[in-house]
Amino acid sequence: VCAWHPCPSTETALGSSDNLEHRRKDRQVRLAAFGINSILYQRGIYPPETFTRVTHYDLSLLLTTDPKLKSYLTNVVSQLKEWLFECTVQKLVLVITCLETNEVLERWQFDIECDKSAKESSAPREKSIKTIQHEIRSVIRQITATVTFLPLLETPCAFDLLVYTDKDLVVPDKWEESGPQTIDQPEEVRLHSFTTSIHKVNSMVAYKKTESA
Amino acid sequence: MAQFGFENDIHSILKLDMPITNAPMARWQRKASSSNTSALSGLSPGKSANVSLSSSKTPKTNPIQDGGGHKHISYISKLCNKHLTWSVSLNGYNVEDAKILHLGGKPLNAPEGYQNNLKVLYTHTATPASIKKSRYISSTPDRILDAPDLRNDFYLNLLDWSSRNFLAVALHNSVYLWDATQGDILLLMKMEREEDYICSLSWTKEGSYLAVGTSDCKVQLWDVENQKRLRSMASHTARVGSLSWNDHVVSSGSRSGHIHHHDVRVADHHIGTLTAHAQEVCGLKWSPDGRYLASGGNDNLVCIWPRAQGGSAGNDSQLIRCWSEHQGAVKALAWCPWQPNILASGGGTSDRHIRIWNVNSGSCISSLDTQSQISSLVFAPNYKELVSAHGYAHNNVVVWKYPSLSKVAELNGHDDRVLSLTLSPDCSTVATVAADETIRLWKSFEMDPIKKKAKERMVKSTSSVIHQSIR
């Protein structure tokens, strides 16, 4: 699955409701992918030079070129897409931990709305490219803005992606159950939620308070 | 109003951090200890989102109605945090019913040795040296030119400004000339095959001929006035990413690591080979007096070669200096025009240092960490400064006072890494080309008119040696 390529430019063409639904999920997943890349870049988890700019939807966005990371993200994203389509995903969480101590330093949470009723919705609205751009920009901008207040990550860090799914989901190969990996006494910042044509996306970041005077 | 109450509730719900002491284990921990649990006896609020949960509340022990059979699933459970958390209901979803999954294996991290340099990026305070009131360095470029299709390749040298005030830029497989005096644009040449591309450009001193290095391993020579190709010199086995003129000799650096000298007046142009570099030669500059050739490679070396005597071929045994202090590819090389034997070199991403060398003594006079990949260097004589062009992560141009190397100004504006830098013939402007497909002209070095008159040097348009003898 190549999650990086944009939909063909015929975004405005009306398709069957199934197609539209599929594209909507596609976009959500891509949004998540861009968001993840942006966080890894902004927080310095990976060296900045391992990111490259690509143009999607006429926006210049950062994506990693690190092969291991790329393959990991592709796997996660493709699975996420499947689950999203089946409406079994609730949240996507990016956890940043201190490499040495395994302590959770930061936790980014994206609520992915699985509006089960929308699957059969009778009047799905098509989205203009402007709306898509707006969505992506909002997410990226928020992530970028958080750098101004998030404490510096001074130690080498690792990150993990957690997916909150329905409890009765069959766990696929290579996936494991995990704890929520929360932060001890965190500071939390709720990022601006934004509305897509059908639902609201909520996101927040929790981080460890620094010991500053 | 009701919605604020809701907001507050959600806010308190979102605090998933307080350990609950007198409660059963979280569902995933319970599953871990016993593989057969039929019902979720546990605490979970109902499906309503209006429930606020705090640590003081005693949780109920009613099993949840989850509407449907509960499948037995065997899975690997991962014990992570010691902290117990409550899953809460949010947006109508019963998150307690959620499974938290991650792709197996340990969490990912950047390769060893990577130091998160955000600290230096975000806490470094730029302290520009006090700027004399009489000189104003604009923070915006004087002009921006479009450069579509520019190859985003660090190792190429695609920009050069002639003494006749023509700015040459290579966009993929075409060379465009921008007349800086008139403002016209001229397409000088375009390679035949779409898959070929231009790798380097270099004007002769008089500005009437342009050498072009290509991906098909040739060095072409163009007569700009007549828009004619004079020569296509083959000798390299790999692309020619760097070029430098010394009178009638043009030296070319290749991806093979070899440097060839070409006497353009004779049919048998290949008169010398230098093979000290093991990887692509991306930086190549003859000194202004023509005595030394400096070369920088992807092997992190800076080499200094003398000019060969007479017409004899230069060879490796004459290598004067070989410096290996840089920890990254050395593409940026610049000779100081007002002090002989002084060379500035700049390192790529893993190095980020500017180094000043004295070729005679062989020592490194000074070294400066610029914290960003250096793609180009140029000495700006009007105020005795050194200008550096940067890629990751700053994507800007910095002006440093010479020889103190204190920062004078930063020229920001490019959205992506700056690949090349070149100085105008009157030394008032630097042109930069970047991966954001623009060329920006920064008129930061303009002299005030009185000083200008005193320093005026006309470009002598004597008949060039080349013109007489090219066949």
Side-chain angles (χ1 to χ4, degrees), chain B residues 115 366 432:
Chain B
Q115 275 284 327
S366 50
T432 53

Side-chain angles (χ1 to χ4, degrees), chain A residues 95-142:
Chain A
V95 175
I96 295 174
T97 53
C98 172
L99 193 56
E100 294 216 353
T101 64
N102 274 326
E103 187 185 17
V104 182
L105 299 174
E106 240 169 69
R107 192 176 190 277
W108 296 74
Q109 183 167 298
F110 296 92
D111 297 343
I112 300 181
E113 175 101 2
C114 276
D115 191 352
K116 298 182 206 271
S117 64
K119 227 181 172 179
E120 289 89 47
S121 90
S122 49
R125 280 189 299 127
E126 191 46 90
K127 264 207 266 184
S128 70
I129 208 164
K130 267 202 154 4
T131 323
I132 302 170
Q133 284 181 336
H134 176 73
E135 278 175 21
I136 299 180
R137 271 207 203 100
S138 310
V139 172
I140 305 294
R141 197 177 292 146
Q142 286 167 51

Side-chain angles (χ1 to χ4, degrees), chain B residues 154-157 282-283 326 328-334 344-356 367-378 386-398 400 405 417-421:
Chain B
F154 175 82
Y155 300 99
L156 307 183
N157 290 280
C282 41
H326 280 291
V330 184
K331 177 188 168 190
L333 291 172
S345 61
T349 314
S350 31
D351 177 80
R352 306 178 300 272
H353 279 68
I354 292 177
R355 288 181 179 272
I356 312 288
S367 140
L368 171 76
D369 186 357
T370 64
Q371 286 146 17
S372 235
Q373 172 192 56
I374 303 169
S375 56
S376 210
L377 283 171
V378 99
L386 177 62
V387 189
S388 57
H390 297 278
Y392 309 120
H394 292 133
N395 301 336
N396 63 0
V397 176
V398 182
W400 312 89
L405 295 186
R417 61 177 181 168
V418 184
L419 295 164
S420 276
L421 182 69

Side-chain angles (χ1 to χ4, degrees), chain B residues 213-249:
Chain B
T214 63
S215 61
D216 66 351
C217 321
K218 307 263 195 352
V219 178
Q220 297 185 9
L221 186 65
W222 284 80
D223 176 343
V224 167
E225 208 175 333
N226 301 312
Q227 289 179 54
K228 210 166 78 114
R229 191 178 79 183
L230 299 173
R231 296 197 73 162
S232 176
M233 301 180 281
S235 59
H236 279 294
T237 53
R239 74 177 189 184
V240 182
S242 51
L243 294 166
S244 186
W245 283 95
N246 186 353
D247 276 348
H248 51 263
V249 171

Side-chain angles (χ1 to χ4, degrees), chain B residues 405-424:
Chain B
L405 295 186
S406 55
K407 190 182 288 201
V408 171
E410 272 186 32
L411 306 173
N412 298 301
H414 277 296
D415 292 321
D416 207 330
R417 61 177 181 168
V418 184
L419 295 164
S420 276
L421 182 69
T422 182
L423 192 65
S424 63

Side-chain angles (χ1 to χ4, degrees), chain A residues 114 160 167 169 174 177 181, chain B residues 81 93 97 99 101-102 104:
Chain A
C114 276
D160 204 357
K167 59 153 186 58
L169 185 81
K174 299 201 191 125
E177 279 220 16
Q181 304 230 58
Chain B
N81 277 317
Y93 295 114
D97 275 345
K99 270 220 279 265
L101 301 179
H102 76 147

